Amino acid sequence: MSGEPLQGASEYEIDVSVRGREVWSAWEVRQLQGNDEVDMEQYAIKGGNPLVGEVEIGGAKNAALGVLAAAIMTDEMTVIDNIPDVRDINVLLQAMESIGVIVYRTDRHTVRINASMISGLVVEDDYIKKIRASYYLLGALLGKYKHAEVALPGGCNIGSRKIDLHIKGFKALGASVKIEHGLIIADAQHLRGAHIYLDTVSVGATINIMLAAALAEGKTVIENAAKEPHVVDVANFLNSMGANVKGAGTDVIRVSGVRKLHGSEYPIIPDQIEAGTFMFAAAITKGDVTVKNVIPKHLESMTAKLIEMGCQVEESGDAVRVVASKRLESTHVKTLAYPGFPTDMQPQIAVSLALARGTSIVTESIFDNRFKYVDELAKMGSNIKVEGNTAIIEGVDKFTSANLTAPDLRAGAALVLACLTAEGFSTIDDIKYIGRGYEDFEVKLQSLGAQIEKVSSDKDLQKFKLKVG
Ligand code: UD1
């Protein structure tokens, strides 16, 4: 490949339909029916209610993407549970089906996967080009069949997202990698274990190299590996299939290649970002929310910030309760690889700090264009100045309602939180981005007392206004 950096796709752009499975989400059904209204859907929100109650967190999208790709590395049946019903997952499943993987969704959150009859090693399904995690099929197919051709992830909207480290890893394992006609083509006679140092901590590269190395000959050492919970989850799943992966969760991962992987039943870990989003929803609305079915340790960086901001946070078993009884206090935060504060929570904390007392500084150190929601938030009266990768936030007393557009997945969710605090009616367009990573977002918020609805016409919007007064 040339030395030019590749512009990776963000996890935030997609527009898909899904075919060939047994159980459909409401969103998928609408897609299959060709209902154009999907694109016209907005959130209508009347802010002002503190969120109160309990909310159940689903499986981690980013872990599930890696685990599902890993599942095609065995010819035996795998059963993956706690899969979130979100678009990115459904697109990956569709791409797997496009190469002959049999995907049977036994219920909304469980899939049975049989990859014994894969009929092609070229994944160029139109939709897969738009999700970042399509690259996991490269590592999985290369490991199993020593050949893979996967469409390059497309555009980019949170900054440059390269894949040079993935390619460096595959090459170190003995594969040749080239890019032709929009496909990344990886090929190897044999894959042999290698010592690989990642120049930057990359979740995607760590998982992808782990996948390929699981079926390589000999030992692979990945240094400066990502330590995110989803890296550990994929390693645990590989091990449950008979792989030999040690050290996941530390910055050195050792993989001893095995000849074959076998079937497994595996539940995906809870989604730390969905959990974090609801924790900040409690904080920003001065609410009292218990997020259930979480691993509190995965949430520690967010818990620490919420405490600095004046919230009470109580951990108990697999739940975390966030109580915010007074105005939030300012603080500073810098996004970092795990266990640092996650970049996927940066918009949600920034929106909360935009209402805190005093000046806060938010530094984005992972991606270079992740403040696009700031212009939208300005419509609500926020006072944020962005300089390079830093946002200087002067807290304001309140937000005013506005008509907004979601720029991407996490920023979209953050704008929802902002609207939940604003008096009067707000709308958010392009909520398809939010559906990429949050299952039933508005339903879960409604159960906590939020006045939010998905509407797809002016008539629906008027009805909502009449209903909530
Ligand atoms: C994953 C997550 C995403 C999250 C991000 C950071 C998935 C599907 N997505 O994305 O939600 O925001 O981790 O926690 O799990 N980099 C390179 N070369 C590479 C790969 C990455 O320079 O080959 C750089 C990126 O430009 C970025 C940094 O490394 O600056 C981290 O990226 P990475 O951890 O790879 O993010 P993703 O795996 O794309």
Side-chain angles (χ1 to χ4, degrees), residues 11-12 61-62 65 132-133 135-136 158 160-166 200-205 228 230 343-344 365-367 370 410:
E11 65 167 10
Y12 308 104
K61 169 184 81 85
N62 288 346
L65 291 167
R132 175 79 176 161
Y135 51 45
Y136 290 145
I158 56 171
S160 141
R161 298 182 73 176
K162 298 180 276 182
I163 56 163
D164 56 322
L165 296 173
H166 302 235
T200 305
V201 177
S202 160
V203 171
E228 267 67 1
H230 30 297
T343 173
D344 287 351
S365 80
I366 310 289
F367 294 113
R370 207 162 192 180
R410 305 302 173 188

Side-chain angles (χ1 to χ4, degrees), residues 320-331:
V320 173
R321 179 178 175 201
V322 177
V323 186
S325 43
K326 51 184 182 0
R327 186 171 181 197
L328 299 173
E329 299 294 337
S330 59
T331 188

Side-chain angles (χ1 to χ4, degrees), residues 265-336:
E265 290 191 19
Y266 194 81
I268 300 290
I269 52 164
D271 197 306
Q272 59 168 155
I273 306 300
E274 187 194 14
T277 302
F278 280 98
M279 289 162 74
F280 277 85
I284 198 172
T285 62
K286 296 203 187 76
D288 178 350
V289 173
T290 302
V291 293
K292 294 175 74 177
N293 182 34
V294 296
I295 299 172
K297 175 136 193 57
H298 295 170
L299 307 174
E300 272 173 2
S301 61
M302 298 173 253
T303 299
K305 285 293 151 192
L306 285 166
I307 291 170
E308 280 174 34
M309 291 163 72
C311 300
Q312 274 170 264
V313 185
E314 289 165 22
E315 291 178 10
S316 54
D318 68 351
V320 173
R321 179 178 175 201
V322 177
V323 186
S325 43
K326 51 184 182 0
R327 186 171 181 197
L328 299 173
E329 299 294 337
S330 59
T331 188
H332 304 322
V333 61
K334 181 175 182 179
T335 62
L336 288 168

